[in-house]
Amino acid sequence: MEEPTDRSGRPDADPDVDLSVPGRPARPRVPWLVVAVVALGAMCGAAARYGASLIWPTATGGFPWTTFAVNVSGCALIGVFMVVITEVWTAHRLIRPFVGTGVLGGFTTFSTYAVDIERLVDAGRARTGMAYLGLTLLAALAAVWAAVWVTRRVVAWRQA
């Protein structure tokens, strides 16, 4: 019996055998179209967040309500979005990276949240900073959970 070969005439490799060359990292294939749609979505989301900060500025040393509202509402939107694209309709392969990772990832912000906490602590408002830290975490998780729950109920009601 003849050994199976690939197009070059070499024997096919066993898929369980690691043929990588030690010391030489594999060159990953970069999905440029996905990277581009994530970047475009992130620009849109970050611009929306920036717009929110202009419309509803936070006073120096004050509770960062804008960042709190952006993060909580963004988490709720992520919950709705994930139910819709995974349970209601089949989305184009670029919708999830564009909207989920890009727009909503750019809209919500961990970095501003962390800076807000640091500013509150530095201003002598450590209690407020720690309350903000915990409240944001709990509210964001509750928002995602509630949005998923409500979206599933609405979808079930509409399909009935």
Side-chain angles (χ1 to χ4, degrees), residues 4-31:
T5 60
D6 65 11
R7 283 193 233 169
S8 67
R10 295 183 302 231
D12 281 343
D14 182 343
D16 295 328
V17 176
D18 181 9
L19 297 177
S20 61
V21 177
R24 183 193 297 165
R27 287 187 57 196
R29 185 176 168 273
V30 179

Side-chain angles (χ1 to χ4, degrees), residues 8-89:
S8 67
R10 295 183 302 231
D12 281 343
D14 182 343
D16 295 328
V17 176
D18 181 9
L19 297 177
S20 61
V21 177
R24 183 193 297 165
R27 287 187 57 196
R29 185 176 168 273
V30 179
W32 290 109
L33 185 57
V34 174
V35 171
V37 299
V38 168
L40 181 63
M43 288 187 304
C44 296
R49 176 173 27 95
Y50 179 67
S53 73
L54 294 177
I55 292 167
W56 190 11
T58 299
T60 304
F63 191 88
W65 287 109
T66 306
T67 305
F68 177 80
V70 161
N71 283 337
V72 172
S73 63
C75 285
L77 290 170
I78 288 169
V80 171
F81 177 69
M82 292 310 294
V83 169
V84 169
I85 68 164
T86 59
E87 299 175 20
V88 177
W89 57 277

